[in-house]
Amino acid sequence: MHKNEYDAIVIGSGPNGLAAAIAMQQQGLSVLLIEGRNEIGGGLRSKELTLPGFMHDICSAIHPMAVTSPFFSQLPLEKFGLSYIYPAVDAAHPFDDGTAAVLHPSLERTAQLLGKDSIAYEQLFRPLLKDFKGLSEDILGPLQFPKHPLTLAKFGLKALPSAMQLAKRFKTKEARGLFGGVAAHAIQPLTNIATAAIGLVLMLNSHAGGWPAPRGGAQALANALGDYFVSLGGEIVTGTYVNALKELPPSRAVLLDVTPKQLLKIAGDRFSSFYKWQLQRYRYGMGVFKVDWALDGPTPFTAAGCREAGTIHLGNTIEEIAANEQRTTDGHHPDNPYTLFVQHSVFDETRAPAGKHTAWAYCHVPNGSTKDMTAAIENQVERFAPGFKDLIIGRHVMNTEDVETYNPNYIGGDINGGILDITQLYTRPAIRWSPYTTPAKGIYVCSSSTPPGGGIHGMCGYHAAKKALKDVFGIALK
């Protein structure tokens, strides 16, 4: 690490750290980005995990919020090698009877395929989609100063209930299951207040921009962001874990893309006792158990809609998903866990050798669990794709300890930077007028432990940088 003086230093090169570094470097400052691992990306990394020639995304795999992000969408990333691949169907939700509901990029097509619930689906999503651009600016930012308060209020009326409560709008198992499978990305019980918001936001993203994946792997997005940052004059140092602020070169501002646990370790001696107390009480959510496969052929889903989808939610009815997510929250390991499944190679030939395929999946488990869920996940896939197990020629698994080792931000396997429930939605990581600030002058938090939380959108980093630019450098961004 160079011992030069910088205007700002960003610790951690996940999507939020990259966003923060870029936002500050765009203003002509000198910015240093420090990453502990040998490659940048955080949750945006890809690797041949199973067999040579099979490229797997280690964490994030599908990026609906990256293409609609108010910040990332404005960057010229295509000039730095990024291109997205869009599946014909964004998400599918199979049932035990061999049918599947599908989330199509077209709102009209999705509604049409829901039969008796077509009108209810249109009535729920059409008004929100009409105002999506303004809505996304507010829901992906801090709560204090919404730019479109009336639009946000209309969304809030629909988003505040639990996912189970909102699903009562629908009569069919197809519409209810489709919404429940998307809402379960909240990684918490579907009976929790405001879990409807997660389902609404992700489904709106489908109709507004799709659920794409970077061609070649998630690492392509990280590399494009990093290359753009460097092209602006930014500097990146990898292979350097920061354990204390005193290890850093002089700078006027430090932005940390870390969760409260690491924040206390790195900068705790600079904080007030009350702020430290709040960080110590911060709550992490369920963890994940992840499996990647090298396959001898495409996954043989029974339902045709699943064979056209990039993402498949495996859990049958919304009632079954809700029951199993509650069991997991209560510390148990369901036999038929809700499973998120992605099949990149069906749409991206760069992911596997000719004639071969990849698959990516995870289920939720109690935080810190080391139980091997491989069989449970594979049985869940086989349930909706008979013959899947016969196609497996390579396998790579990660329990919560492995997930945290891969990325120290994933405490106990929590990939969301802390549970995103109603009590931590806008108060993460602590109750402050600006959640990105700390009691220490010049020290900011820019991770998914700040609003708006987890997801590949970079907005936590952007808003933290915006605050630091104003406070420290007198630069006000719109």
Side-chain angles (χ1 to χ4, degrees):
M1 190 187 305
H2 298 301
K3 295 300 181 183
N4 299 324
E5 182 172 347
Y6 297 88
D7 290 316
I9 296 175
V10 179
I11 299 173
S13 70
N16 287 306
L18 284 161
I22 289 170
M24 302 196 78
Q25 190 66 45
Q26 285 177 326
Q27 302 307 309
L29 305 180
S30 60
V31 182
L32 172 66
L33 178 62
I34 304 175
E35 168 57 44
R37 298 185 67 89
N38 291 326
E39 61 285 318
I40 64 170
L44 293 171
R45 295 196 183 106
S46 307
K47 191 176 182 180
E48 293 180 337
L49 295 175
T50 56
L51 297 172
F54 292 81
M55 185 60 65
H56 306 273
D57 289 339
I58 303 176
C59 184
S60 178
I62 298 291
H63 304 110
M65 301 181 82
V67 292
T68 59
S69 164
F71 184 60
F72 283 164
S73 64
Q74 301 302 312
L75 305 181
L77 300 182
E78 68 282 352
K79 296 180 180 179
F80 296 87
L82 177 67
S83 64
Y84 285 107
I85 292 178
Y86 293 81
V89 170
D90 286 331
H93 192 104
F95 300 93
D96 282 336
D97 61 6
T99 64
V102 299
L103 178 64
H104 196 277
S106 165
L107 187 154
E108 295 82 1
R109 183 61 175 155
T110 302
Q112 181 185 31
L113 294 173
L114 291 176
K116 293 179 181 179
D117 279 318
S118 61
I119 294 176
Y121 190 89
E122 283 263 8
Q123 290 176 339
L124 176 60
F125 285 100
R126 177 66 63 190
L128 297 175
L129 185 61
K130 180 182 178 181
D131 298 325
F132 182 76
K133 187 176 186 298
L135 179 62
S136 64
E137 292 177 352
D138 285 337
I139 60 179
L140 290 179
L143 186 62
Q144 303 100 316
F145 304 110
K147 296 181 180 179
H148 313 274
L150 292 179
T151 299
L152 185 61
K154 292 177 183 178
F155 173 77
L157 291 174
K158 296 178 179 179
L160 189 58
S162 70
M164 293 300 291
Q165 187 67 33
L166 186 140
K168 292 180 180 179
R169 287 172 172 258
F170 304 123
K171 297 180 175 63
T172 64
K173 77 175 190 301
E174 288 79 13
R176 290 166 58 81
L178 182 64
F179 182 75
V182 178
H185 282 250
I187 318 182
Q188 57 185 294
L190 297 189
T191 52
N192 278 9
I193 295 174
T195 44
I198 304 298
L200 290 173
V201 169
L202 289 176
M203 294 175 91
L204 284 169
N205 269 272
S206 168
H207 301 319
W211 284 21
R215 180 178 177 84
Q219 189 75 52
L221 175 54
N223 290 346
L225 289 166
D227 290 346
Y228 175 57
F229 170 65
V230 171
S231 77
L232 297 173
E235 182 180 345
I236 299 176
V237 170
T238 59
T240 303
Y241 279 100
V242 176
N243 297 299
L245 292 179
K246 63 183 180 181
E247 300 173 2
L248 300 176
S251 69
R252 297 176 64 186
V254 176
L255 292 81
L256 297 100
D257 184 5
V258 301
T259 78
K261 183 176 180 179
Q262 303 100 300
L263 183 61
L264 282 166
K265 177 183 177 182
I266 296 171
D269 61 336
R270 303 280 297 276
F271 299 150
S272 66
S273 57
F274 178 65
Y275 185 70
K276 288 193 289 186
W277 176 79
Q278 289 191 82
L279 296 182
Q280 290 163 353
R281 290 170 57 85
Y282 188 77
R283 294 178 298 113
Y284 293 93
M286 289 186 279
V288 300
F289 185 97
K290 179 172 178 285
V291 187
D292 288 279
W293 298 278
L295 303 174
D296 203 26
T299 302
F301 285 106
T302 301
C306 292
R307 298 194 292 272
E308 299 180 89
T311 301
I312 299 93
H313 298 132
L314 306 176
N316 199 33
T317 65
I318 190 173
E319 290 80 12
E320 182 178 321
I321 294 172
N324 284 325
E325 290 293 271
Q326 185 63 59
R327 291 189 187 102
T328 306
T329 297
D330 293 340
H332 306 296
H333 298 79
D335 293 332
N336 300 305
Y338 164 75
T339 298
L340 290 91
F341 183 96
V342 176
Q343 48 184 4
H344 289 114
S345 58
V346 173
F347 311 97
D348 183 356
E349 75 282 358
T350 70
R351 298 297 188 104
K356 308 299 181 182
H357 284 273
T358 63
W360 169 111
Y362 71 77
C363 72
H364 301 148
V365 295
N367 190 283
S369 166
T370 56
K371 181 178 174 64
D372 189 341
M373 296 293 288
T374 306
I377 290 176
E378 292 182 353
N379 288 340
Q380 191 76 319
V381 180
E382 185 82 13
R383 175 182 178 183
F384 302 101
F388 169 77
K389 293 181 182 179
D390 296 333
L391 297 172
I392 299 172
I393 56 177
R395 179 190 294 110
H396 178 271
V397 304
M398 299 174 72
N399 63 24
T400 63
E401 289 185 350
D402 300 322
V403 169
E404 185 175 344
T405 297
Y406 152 72
N407 188 336
N409 271 349
Y410 299 157
I411 305 297
D414 176 356
I415 59 175
N416 244 359
I419 189 168
L420 198 63
D421 63 10
I422 191 65
T423 63
Q424 287 193 163
L425 186 59
Y426 286 106
T427 60
R428 49 202 292 126
I431 300 176
R432 294 181 64 79
W433 178 246
S434 172
Y436 313 102
T437 64
T438 73
K441 183 179 179 180
I443 300 176
Y444 298 82
V445 189
C446 65
S447 72
S448 60
S449 294
T450 64
I456 307 301
H457 44 66
M459 296 307 292
C460 307
Y462 171 76
H463 288 298
K466 184 178 179 180
K467 181 62 175 169
L469 285 167
K470 182 179 180 181
D471 290 351
V472 181
F473 302 97
I475 300 173
L477 300 183
K478 293 183 179 179

